[in-house]
């Protein structure tokens, strides 16, 4: 298990046919050798794994990576009304070039591509 810094950038959408590096997340998480989040290490971390959300035209948001009844999520304040759930992350490795779907707080689902994953 190794703590990694991961950068996700918006993949191709109707609004952004080439994707967008101006719509991104950077977060830290403990990954096993296959690229899966290590739940026990995440729970036992002295400081919660952090996330930073970069969104063109909006103030950056800082939060934490949490586990919810819907799976892994990014959360920026207490309560679940701002949580952004990462679809299927418990069954999907985090590797450069792979795609993840994030359900934004407003309910919209957006595809993101893993751009970087390093120690």
């Amino acid at each position: 298990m190794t703590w990694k810094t991961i950068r996700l950038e918006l993949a191709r959408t109707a609004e952004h046919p080439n994707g967008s590096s101006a719509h991104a997340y950077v977060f830290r998480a403990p990954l096993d050798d296959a690229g899966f989040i290590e739940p026990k290490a995440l729970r036992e971390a002295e400081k919660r794994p952090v996330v930073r959300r970069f969104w063109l035209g909006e103030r950056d948001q800082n939060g934490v990576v949490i586990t919810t009844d819907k799976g892994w999520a990014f959360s920026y304040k207490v309560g679940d009304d701002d949580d952004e759930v990462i679809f299927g992350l418990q069954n999907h490795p985090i590797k450069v070039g792979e795609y993840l779907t994030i359900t934004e707080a407003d309910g919209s689902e957006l595809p993101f591509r893993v751009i970087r994953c390093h120690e």
Side-chain angles (χ1 to χ4, degrees):
M1 185 275 311
T2 305
W3 281 84
K4 302 275 187 163
T5 299
I6 300 116
R7 181 176 175 92
L8 306 175
E9 292 183 359
L10 185 65
R12 182 175 44 207
T13 64
E15 190 174 328
H16 298 279
N18 295 320
S20 173
S21 62
H23 298 83
Y25 295 89
V26 173
F27 68 102
R28 288 196 41 81
L31 302 181
D32 65 17
D33 292 339
F36 292 94
I37 289 182
E38 189 67 47
K40 184 177 178 188
L42 187 78
R43 281 191 298 275
E44 293 175 354
E46 191 171 306
K47 291 191 175 189
R48 300 290 298 171
V50 295
V51 61
R52 188 162 194 172
R53 181 182 191 267
F54 304 91
W55 216 257
L56 184 65
E58 296 179 15
R59 178 180 286 163
D60 292 353
Q61 293 185 50
N62 295 303
V64 293
V65 180
I66 62 170
T67 185
T68 71
D69 58 343
K70 297 176 184 174
W72 297 105
F74 298 141
S75 184
Y76 305 98
K77 60 184 176 184
V78 176
D80 61 2
D81 60 329
D82 71 329
D83 292 356
E84 297 174 330
V85 178
I86 309 161
F87 180 76
L89 189 56
Q90 63 274 18
N91 301 315
H92 192 82
I94 298 174
K95 295 182 178 183
V96 172
E98 294 289 324
Y99 291 84
L100 299 170
T101 299
I102 297 178
T103 302
E104 300 285 303
D106 66 3
S108 61
E109 294 181 350
L110 295 173
F112 286 83
R113 190 159 137 315
V114 179
I115 300 300
R116 282 194 295 278
C117 183
H118 59 86
E119 291 181 40

